[in-house]
Amino acid sequence: AQSVSQHNHHVILSEAASLELGCNYSYGGTVNLFWYVQYPGQHLQLLLKYFSGDPLVKGIKGFEAEFIKSKFSFNLRKPSVQWSDTAEYFCAVRGTGGFKTIFGAGTRLFVKA
Amino acid sequence: GAGVSQSPSNKVTEKGKDVELRCDPISGHTALYWYRQSLGQGLEFLIYFQGNSAPDKSGLPSDRFSAERTGGSVSTLTIQRTQQEDSAVYLCASSYEPRDIQETQYFGPGTRLLVL
């Protein structure tokens, strides 16, 4: 079955701490991978995406994610978080050439100032 | 430019009533998606429209759910005989030509539905 698993439902960090949010997926065939973010009171928006090429992709606001095909993982990282990174983060997968996107349950990140 | 808009932003209804949720996609976007986000859950795909093609309804949870997209623009999601388990945030997203490798979905603010 197609699924996305996000390992942590809640993460609390202090400012300047490093961040890694885990994401594993189950999907037959080649995939496109996404991280979306929803800041408090705002719409869900794209943070970064992987389609092909370099498995290390960089997104907005200093975020990056690495696609490890052998591990079916697409973990999100940021070396030093800020209070403004407090948000809910969603990992998503879609088969190449398709449209149906499978989302994980989300990880709520709270950054203490 | 204007983003995806949804109305109403909040809807409270009684069990058994019908509700209609509206989505206005970004102008020119050919693809439109509906998702449902229940408390503590990820986004659950409901239905997808692309241009004039037949919609993919494979994610609709029951025959009480239906959706239309008129004129390739505005979409309405209808839930008949609402149940308490229908309570959720219903999100709409649009994109330009999903077959394009650069496709990105743009999300609306959602409609928060509460069925009493």
Side-chain angles (χ1 to χ4, degrees), chain A residues 9 32 34 36 38 42-46 49 51-52 88 90 94 97-106 108, chain B residues 4 33 35 37 40-43 45 48 56 58-59 91 98-109:
Chain A
H9 293 294
N32 301 141
F34 308 82
Y36 284 87
Q38 187 167 27
Q42 297 187 25
H43 304 184
L44 201 65
Q45 60 185 282
L46 183 69
K49 61 187 176 186
F51 277 71
S52 63
E88 188 161 17
F90 294 91
R94 189 185 72 199
F99 57 85
K100 184 174 179 178
T101 307
I102 309 297
F103 283 80
R108 288 185 183 270
Chain B
V4 177
Y33 305 73
Y35 295 90
Q37 185 178 21
Q41 304 294 316
L43 276 68
F45 167 83
Y48 161 81
D56 184 312
S58 62
L91 290 168
R99 301 295 176 186
D100 184 342
I101 195 170
Q102 297 300 322
E103 179 264 340
T104 295
Q105 294 180 45
Y106 294 87
F107 284 82

Side-chain angles (χ1 to χ4, degrees), chain A residues 24-91:
Chain A
N24 286 88
Y25 66 92
S26 172
Y27 201 101
T30 55
V31 296
N32 301 141
L33 295 155
F34 308 82
W35 275 96
Y36 284 87
V37 60
Q38 187 167 27
Y39 296 102
Q42 297 187 25
H43 304 184
L44 201 65
Q45 60 185 282
L46 183 69
L47 191 60
L48 50 78
K49 61 187 176 186
Y50 170 81
F51 277 71
S52 63
D54 188 345
L56 183 64
V57 292
K58 296 188 183 298
I60 60 172
K61 304 187 180 184
F63 285 90
E64 64 178 32
E66 185 175 12
F67 171 46
I68 303 179
K69 188 175 180 180
S70 61
K71 295 185 178 180
F72 300 94
S73 69
F74 190 56
N75 292 354
L76 180 70
R77 299 195 293 250
K78 185 171 183 178
S80 177
V81 294
Q82 301 174 312
W83 176 80
S84 58
D85 294 325
T86 294
E88 188 161 17
Y89 294 81
F90 294 91
C91 182

